Amino acid sequence: DVKVTQSSRYLVKRTGEKVFLECVQDMDHENMFWYRQDPGLGLRLIYFSYDVKMKEKGDIPEGYSVSREKKERFSLILESASTNQTSMYLCASTQGRARNQPQHFGDGTRLSIL
Amino acid sequence: KNEVEQSPQNLTAQEEEFITINCSYSVGISALHWLQQHPGGGIVSLFMLSSGKKKHGRLIATINIQEKHSSLHITASHPRDSAVYICAVAGTGGGADGLTFGKGTHLIIQP
């Protein structure tokens, strides 16, 4: 079974801090995704990557950046955390094109910015 | 951009009832996903379909491409089916650019 592991289940940070969320998958998947999930809004795509060192903006990239130095690892970076970035963050991966492959999700990181 | 609408938003039913959750979308797609999210956050992929019907145990998913509509059915529902069910669609064209999600249906099955 594919395993997508997010580094933390719960995280509390302060406004202005630089925050790193890490995601690792163990199935050599090409595509990796970062989503955030908010009540009433559902899941929204922040960034995705289809290869090492490649990244593409999703629907809501403002305030975020990403890094993919190795195929198995995709990091989400909050450059200067703000309270409106308090949310549930979910990482996912797929083999091949996302359109034709199921997405495998991590358990999520519930991030609170105080 | 595709608009994905799910109904109902919330559903409470008794054990053994037949459950239907609906999903409609506005623009043509290459695939539609049904996902399940239990309290605590983890999301599991239930189905991915681009035409017709799929069945897995007590779960059945159907899609009508012409009408841009999909349904998820649960037969003989059980309290362990209580979860949020999320519909998501994948667009057409090249590249891998993630999914567009509905807001989810919160299902509670009472014993």
Side-chain angles (χ1 to χ4, degrees):
Chain A
D1 266 1
V2 176
K3 182 77 174 168
V4 178
T5 303
Q6 294 184 229
S7 53
S8 306
R9 290 301 305 276
Y10 300 94
L11 203 54
V12 180
K13 296 291 183 181
R14 296 212 171 269
T15 303
E17 281 193 67
K18 190 168 186 175
V19 181
F20 293 85
L21 302 183
E22 306 285 347
C23 176
V24 177
Q25 49 90 8
D26 66 356
M27 283 300 290
D28 203 36
H29 282 177
E30 287 84 0
N31 304 309
M32 297 187 75
F33 306 84
W34 274 108
Y35 298 97
R36 64 177 282 177
Q37 185 179 30
D38 299 289
L41 295 176
L43 282 96
R44 292 175 292 167
L45 179 65
I46 305 171
Y47 266 98
F48 67 97
S49 168
Y50 54 87
D51 203 350
V52 175
K53 297 192 185 296
M54 305 305 290
K55 60 185 178 184
E56 294 285 345
K57 293 180 180 178
D59 298 319
I60 50 164
E62 297 78 19
Y64 303 95
S65 62
V66 290
S67 172
R68 192 159 181 210
E69 296 297 317
K70 294 185 178 181
K71 191 174 186 180
E72 68 270 19
R73 186 181 296 272
F74 192 36
S75 302
L76 180 69
I77 304 155
L78 286 65
E79 296 290 345
S80 177
S82 64
T83 54
N84 63 11
Q85 293 177 309
T86 292
S87 186
M88 169 72 94
Y89 290 87
L90 288 139
C91 175
S93 71
T94 66
Q95 184 177 24
R97 293 176 56 175
R99 292 178 176 83
N100 300 316
Q101 299 291 332
Q103 296 219 341
H104 300 270
F105 286 85
D107 288 336
T109 296
R110 193 168 291 280
L111 175 64
S112 296
I113 306 296
L114 305 179
Chain B
K1 183 167 168 58
N2 222 328
E3 300 292 330
V4 181
E5 298 287 338
Q6 282 186 241
S7 62
Q9 282 187 290
N10 298 282
L11 179 57
T12 300
Q14 296 299 121
E15 189 170 357
E16 292 293 323
E17 280 192 49
F18 181 81
I19 303 299
T20 296
I21 299 170
N22 296 300
C23 175
S24 61
Y25 52 93
S26 58
V27 179
I29 61 172
S30 59
L32 183 142
H33 300 248
W34 281 104
L35 310 167
Q36 180 191 58
Q37 185 175 31
H38 280 287
I43 294 177
V44 174
S45 179
L46 298 175
F47 295 103
M48 183 183 65
L49 64 165
S50 55
S51 65
K53 178 179 174 178
K54 286 191 176 181
K55 184 175 189 289
H56 182 68
R58 295 179 295 105
L59 272 60
I60 303 165
T62 64
I63 188 168
N64 185 318
I65 295 295
Q66 287 72 32
E67 294 186 4
K68 296 186 177 63
H69 181 269
S70 175
S71 293
L72 177 68
H73 305 286
I74 305 174
T75 62
S77 59
H78 189 276
R80 66 174 174 266
D81 297 326
S82 298
V84 176
Y85 292 84
I86 302 168
C87 170
V89 299
T92 57
D97 58 359
L99 302 175
T100 301
F101 297 82
K103 292 181 171 55
T105 295
H106 189 190
L107 175 65
I108 297 173
I109 305 296
Q110 295 178 334

